[in-house]
Amino acid sequence: MAWDEWEQLKSKAAESHSTQMQLNQYPVDQGGDGTQGDLVAGHQDLEAVGKAAHDLFEGFTLYGGHARVASAAAAGGLKGEGFALGAALDHVTERWTSQTRTLLDACAHISNHLRFTKNQHVADDSYISGTVSSIALLDEGFDDRKGH
């Protein structure tokens, strides 16, 4: 293919394709409450998520531990009596323990992250407020020197 032919093909392709961006959205008449897709999560929403994660962590630690201990005891009893089901139940108990740790780690991560985020936002707000106040004081002093 010659260079001129390549340039002609590129030119034709550019003419036939629009370069405008198109965002997909639901038409207003297809349900919903008419809002335009703003995702808003307020302080109370995030606090509720953090509390739910913390409560799940606390409850599952307690009840998941009971299930693990009971399953391990049953597996030991069955293996002691020579049942092959004892080894299978022991395997299930090991998986339960592993999956429980994963769930508890995730709950702790969510709760801790939301707590950190809340504290960071408070610190950011304080910093911004202090900065804006100091700028306002500098502006007032600047205006006084000019006699305005």
Side-chain angles (χ1 to χ4, degrees), residues 12 14 24 35 37 47 67 71 73 108 116 125 136 138 144:
K12 283 182 185 178
N24 294 333
T35 59
E47 194 172 281
S71 296
F116 171 81
D125 287 345
L138 287 174
D144 289 343

Side-chain angles (χ1 to χ4, degrees), residues 1 12 25 30 35 37-38 44-45 58 62 64 68 71 76 80 86 100 111 113-114 117-118 120 123 129-130 141-142:
M1 176 183 316
K12 283 182 185 178
Q25 63 184 13
Q30 286 197 0
T35 59
D38 290 333
Q44 290 178 341
D45 298 323
E58 293 290 320
L62 176 66
R68 180 185 48 78
S71 296
T100 298
S111 181
H113 180 72
L114 289 172
T117 301
K118 175 185 171 188
Q120 187 62 48
S129 176
F142 182 74

Side-chain angles (χ1 to χ4, degrees), residues 2-136:
W3 184 258
D4 292 335
E5 186 181 0
W6 171 247
E7 288 299 323
Q8 288 174 357
L9 289 172
K10 284 187 352 184
S11 177
K12 283 182 185 178
E15 289 172 7
S16 66
H17 290 91
S18 172
T19 58
Q20 295 177 344
M21 182 186 303
Q22 177 181 342
L23 297 177
N24 294 333
Q25 63 184 13
Y26 286 110
V28 178
D29 63 347
Q30 286 197 0
D33 59 3
T35 59
Q36 292 298 315
D38 290 333
L39 177 61
V40 177
H43 172 72
Q44 290 178 341
D45 298 323
L46 296 176
E47 194 172 281
V49 170
K51 182 177 179 344
H54 179 75
D55 291 348
L56 180 59
F57 180 88
E58 293 290 320
F60 204 76
T61 298
L62 176 66
Y63 298 116
H66 290 315
R68 180 185 48 78
V69 169
S71 296
L78 288 168
K79 284 196 293 189
E81 294 295 324
F83 288 99
L85 183 61
L89 186 55
D90 197 34
H91 175 74
V92 169
T93 303
E94 289 174 17
R95 292 292 303 202
W96 173 264
T97 301
S98 170
Q99 295 298 315
T100 298
R101 279 193 209 115
T102 301
L103 175 64
L104 293 175
D105 287 348
C107 289
H109 181 75
I110 290 167
S111 181
N112 292 340
H113 180 72
L114 289 172
R115 185 177 301 116
F116 171 81
T117 301
K118 175 185 171 188
N119 292 337
Q120 187 62 48
H121 282 280
V122 168
D124 289 346
D125 287 345
S126 177
Y127 173 76
I128 291 167
S129 176
T131 302
V132 169
S133 294
S134 66
I135 291 170

